[in-house]
Amino acid sequence: MAEKPSVLFVCVHNAGRSQMAAGWLTHLAAGRIVVRSAGSAPADQVNPVAIEAMREVGIDITSEQPKVLTVDAVEASDAVITMGCGDACPVFPGKRYEDWKLDDPAGQGIEMVRQVRDEIRTRVEKLIAELIS
C-alpha cells in the first residue's frame, strides 16, 4: 500500500483560508490524504467568522490553532498550496506547488467568507481528484 498523499495549506496567518481548506480536505478526503496547515506569520487564533462559515456546512474547525510554517512541514508534504503568502514559503524541488488566489477573509463579514469557503471547496474537490486517481 502506497503512503497516503499529504497536503500542506499555507497562508500568512493560518487563521482563515488555510484552516478552511484543511477543514474541507479533512472532511472530503475522509482519511485518504494527510492534511496540514500553517502560516508564515500565524495569528493568535482561527478567525471566528471562518469557524462560523465552516460550521454552517457541518465542519468543525474550532479545535484548530494557527501554526508556524516550518521547513519540516514543507518537506513532509507532497503538495504545498499557498494562499497569498508570497515568498515566505520555502520551495523544495520535487514538490507540487500551487498558489490559490483567494481573497483574505480577515476582518470580513460572513457573506464574503462564505464565498471564499465555497471557492475553497471547489478547489479542494479538484485537488482530491488529482491526488487520488
Side-chain angles (χ1 to χ4, degrees):
M1 177 88 187
E3 278 190 38
K4 289 193 269 195
S6 58
V7 175
L8 172 65
F9 293 107
V10 184
C11 66
V12 177
H13 301 301
N14 189 215
R17 292 164 290 189
S18 55
Q19 292 286 359
M20 289 193 287
W24 274 124
L25 185 55
T26 300
H27 178 73
L28 296 169
R32 295 172 297 168
I33 296 174
V34 177
V35 184
R36 300 181 182 88
S37 72
S40 52
D44 297 331
Q45 62 179 38
V46 176
N47 179 342
V49 185
I51 290 173
E52 178 60 28
M54 293 303 284
R55 184 181 292 128
E56 291 177 352
V57 292
I59 299 173
D60 181 6
I61 60 171
T62 53
S63 62
E64 298 302 323
Q65 279 295 318
K67 292 173 284 300
V68 177
L69 176 65
T70 64
V71 169
D72 291 347
V74 177
E75 282 192 301
S77 302
D78 299 311
V80 180
I81 312 293
T82 57
M83 304 170 181
C85 65
D87 299 332
C89 302
V91 174
F92 293 93
K95 302 283 178 201
R96 169 183 174 159
Y97 288 92
E98 280 183 39
D99 187 49
W100 291 0
K101 304 274 186 248
L102 296 162
D103 292 328
D104 189 347
Q108 301 293 323
I110 189 78
E111 290 295 331
M112 181 272 189
V113 177
R114 283 181 187 130
Q115 290 173 356
V116 174
R117 174 198 70 199
D118 295 345
E119 183 175 345
I120 290 171
R121 177 180 184 145
T122 301
R123 291 174 186 236
V124 165
E125 288 172 336
K126 180 173 178 276
L127 182 67
I128 292 169
E130 292 167 358
L131 289 174
I132 301 174
S133 42

